[in-house]
Each structure stands twice: as C-alpha cells, then as structure tokens.
Amino acid sequence: MSRILVAGGAGFLGAHLCEKLLEGGHDVFCADNLQTGVKCNIKHLLPQPYFNFIQHDITSALDVDVDEIYNLACPASPVHYQVDPVQTLKININGAINMLDLSKRNNAKILQASSSEVYGDPEVHPQSEQYCGKVDPVCMRSCYIEGKRCVETLFFSYFRQYGLKIKVGRIFNTYGPRMHPDDGRVISNFIVQALKGDDITIYGTGQQTRSFCYVDDLVEGLIRLMRTPVNITGPINLGNPYEITISQLAQHILSLTGSSSRLVYLPLPRDDPRQRKPVIDRARSLLNWEPKVNLDDGLKKTIIYFEKLLCKGGGSGVLNN
C-alpha cells in the first residue's frame, strides 16, 4: 500500500483517479478547495477507511506524509479558469511550488497534470511532445496556457536541481461522467443542450477539430505514467488520436440522444485553437498505453450520466457542496 495525495481530487478527473487508486489498495489523501471540485464527486468514497478528504487550497503549503503526489489542482475549463485569471496563475505556479516542495520533503514521486493547451493554436499537426507550440501570452486563455507551461518549467527545474522524481503528462480533451454540466466544454455543452432540446451552439464554422479521450482511459494513462521508472519523466501526451470536427461531434450527439435541437453557429473566439490531435507514440512505447474506449461508447455512457443528473434537477446547482 502506498500513501498517495491527489491534489484536485474532488474534480472530474481527480475523483475518478481517487476511486481507481482506492481500488488498487492504496491509502488516498484527496486535497481540494472545492472551487470547481464538488463533494458529490467523492461522496461514495468518504466512508472508506483508506480515503482521507482534506479541504485545502494548494496555494498554501500542505504537510502530509505521502509516497506519491498527483497534482491535478487547477480549473480546467475556460468558463472556470477565466473567472479569476490571477488566481488561476497562482494555483498553477504557487500550487506547483508547494507540491514540489512537499515532494522534496517526502522524497515522493510527483506527477503533474499538464495540458495540450501548452501547444496553443498549433501550426504543426498532429502534435508530438517535441513541438514547442504557438502561444499568445496575452490572450484570454493565457492564464491557463502559460500557467501550465510555467509548471512544466518548474518541474524540470526541480528535477535538474534537486533530483526530484517527476512525471509530466500532457492531457488532451477528456470527457465522461462527473463532468460539470455548465463547465463550457464542448461535449458537456452539446449533450446538455441536446437533452434539454435547446439550440446546440457551435463556435465558428464547426470545422475545427478535437480528439476526445474517455476518462477511464485517461486515468489509466496517468497511473501507468506514475509507475514508470524514475528515468522516464515525460512530458508524455495522454489522449485519443481519433480526430473529429466539432460539427461532426454535434451531429453524432444529436443522433445518440434522438434530439431535435437546432445547430446554431456563433462567432469563433479569437484564441480558440483550430485543431488538436495527439501523437501518442511515447505513451504506447513507454507506458504500453493507448485508449480503449471508442467515442461512440464513451458518449453513450456520458449521455446516461447527464440524463440522470438532469432528471434529478442537476445543473448549475451541482456545484453546491
């Protein structure tokens, strides 16, 4: 049994990760300030004897005796991280420093959940880890993008200066149950709009592309990355290389839900990336990992989750703890 800290453990990804680590027989410490994470995501874990919830903001130091640290703490959707961009930067940078210092004190392995956002609006397609990206440091999304890029710099600086056992995974678009219905991400937006019979809002022409990874696959990738030998630091792309246009995604969700919602096209935000598709050769070779859940099956599971949530009256109120 390992003692494992999951920072941001009450969020969408964090809750799934906590659950999987508990199934593996580990002692799990879930730290979350509940800014965007919600207790209902981990409600079923609270009675378990090896699950420990700590309401804490990692921009302040945390002292806990652990063997491994997963740092997932940061709002991940533009709707949330743009509300308070200064705080988003603090969570990324100050939070990472506190987690790295905790790792140093405990001689613990530490994994950073980085993001495909570090590639910005890419001029190289698909994106491999060798690509340095095309990023506007003053755009509306830069508080998150540059925050994640700075965190990667911090991790490799601690690795080089102190010999920390670091892992960096670059997460591409991920979806599944426990997504927030109002988080502004495209899959949750489309499913909720379709189920309610509202217009489905597509920004731009809908020809921009994304690649979507089901949450169970992504969590398995994170765990496998943490389990690699110390000489494997990353960064490693974690995502599904199946690429689809936003318009195709909308039509697919309409078909799966049987919705009669209309497609409505709105202006594309200036800093919205035109294409995203990961090269996952490193993940395949170093982690023996690739996604298993196809988009059709993953969407069906996610639609069932949102159907149940909406039947219970879930919506923006789901953020109530």
Side-chain angles (χ1 to χ4, degrees):
M1 177 185 289
S2 295
R3 293 166 59 87
I4 302 174
L5 171 66
V6 180
F12 161 53
L13 284 180
H16 283 277
L17 177 60
C18 287
E19 188 174 68
K20 189 72 173 178
L21 293 172
L22 283 169
E23 289 174 2
H26 301 291
D27 193 355
V28 176
F29 295 81
C30 166
D32 203 297
N33 67 356
L34 303 180
Q35 178 186 350
T36 56
V38 290
K39 267 194 177 177
C40 65
N41 281 342
I42 55 170
K43 184 178 180 181
H44 62 299
L45 304 178
L46 292 172
Q48 297 197 30
Y50 294 109
F51 183 74
N52 312 271
F53 175 67
I54 307 166
Q55 186 165 344
H56 182 82
D57 188 326
I58 66 163
T59 58
S60 298
L62 177 65
D63 190 16
V64 60
D65 181 16
V66 291
D67 306 302
E68 296 176 357
I69 301 165
Y70 290 83
N71 185 25
L72 278 63
C74 184
S77 74
V79 168
H80 291 152
Y81 67 64
Q82 291 178 15
V83 169
D84 190 343
V86 173
Q87 184 63 17
T88 297
L89 283 163
K90 288 180 179 179
I91 291 168
N92 273 306
I93 299 168
N94 296 352
I97 290 171
N98 285 329
M99 291 298 98
L100 287 162
D101 286 342
L102 178 63
S103 166
K104 186 166 172 275
R105 291 196 300 272
N106 283 274
N107 191 30
K109 287 197 289 185
I110 181 167
L111 184 150
Q112 172 63 36
S114 189
S115 169
S116 62
E117 290 289 320
V118 301
Y119 298 119
D121 187 7
E123 295 177 313
V124 172
H125 191 74
Q127 295 81 54
S128 73
E129 295 88 349
Q130 288 81 12
Y131 177 54
C132 294
K134 178 198 172 197
V135 175
D136 179 356
V138 297
C139 71
M140 291 293 292
R141 301 165 74 104
S142 63
C143 60
Y144 183 80
I145 297 170
E146 297 290 20
K148 290 295 186 183
R149 288 167 68 91
C150 185
V151 168
E152 290 196 13
T153 301
L154 281 166
F155 264 65
F156 280 91
S157 296
Y158 270 73
F159 166 69
R160 296 181 183 109
Q161 188 165 342
Y162 302 116
L164 258 62
K165 294 173 283 189
I166 67 162
K167 312 287 178 182
V168 175
R170 290 178 178 165
I171 298 173
F172 282 66
N173 294 67
T174 306
Y175 71 101
R178 299 182 192 148
M179 293 182 80
H180 190 281
D182 297 329
D183 69 1
R185 286 187 263 197
V186 64
I187 283 185
S188 54
N189 275 1
F190 285 0
I191 291 176
V192 170
Q193 289 168 342
L195 292 174
K196 288 182 173 181
D198 296 339
D199 291 343
I200 290 184
T201 51
I202 297 176
Y203 295 94
T205 64
Q207 294 310 298
Q208 63 269 40
T209 67
R210 296 291 185 271
S211 303
F212 298 100
C213 186
Y214 189 66
V215 62
D216 290 355
D217 285 332
L218 193 283
V219 165
E220 178 66 22
L222 290 173
I223 292 173
R224 290 194 183 200
L225 177 55
M226 180 65 92
R227 297 288 179 262
T228 55
V230 292
N231 64 307
I232 297 176
T233 58
I236 293 181
N237 286 341
L238 295 173
N240 194 320
Y242 174 74
E243 188 177 17
I244 187 172
T245 70
I246 298 302
S247 287
Q248 288 172 332
L249 175 67
Q251 292 287 357
H252 197 43
I253 288 173
L254 282 176
S255 175
L256 290 174
T257 58
S259 174
S260 58
S261 293
R262 299 182 308 130
L263 302 184
V264 175
Y265 292 83
L266 301 175
L268 183 71
R270 181 178 66 89
D271 52 354
D272 194 65
R274 292 162 296 170
Q275 50 191 5
R276 282 280 165 76
K277 177 182 176 180
V279 175
I280 61 168
D281 293 349
R282 279 189 182 178
R284 287 190 175 112
S285 63
L286 298 176
L287 312 183
N288 191 27
W289 175 89
E290 63 182 346
K292 304 296 184 186
V293 180
N294 64 47
L295 183 62
D296 193 64
D297 290 340
L299 286 175
K300 287 176 182 177
K301 294 177 182 180
T302 309
I303 288 166
I304 290 171
Y305 167 78
F306 279 115
E307 284 176 333
K308 292 178 179 177
L309 184 67
L310 293 175
C311 284
K312 293 177 182 177
S316 59
V318 80
L319 276 178
N320 294 332
N321 296 300

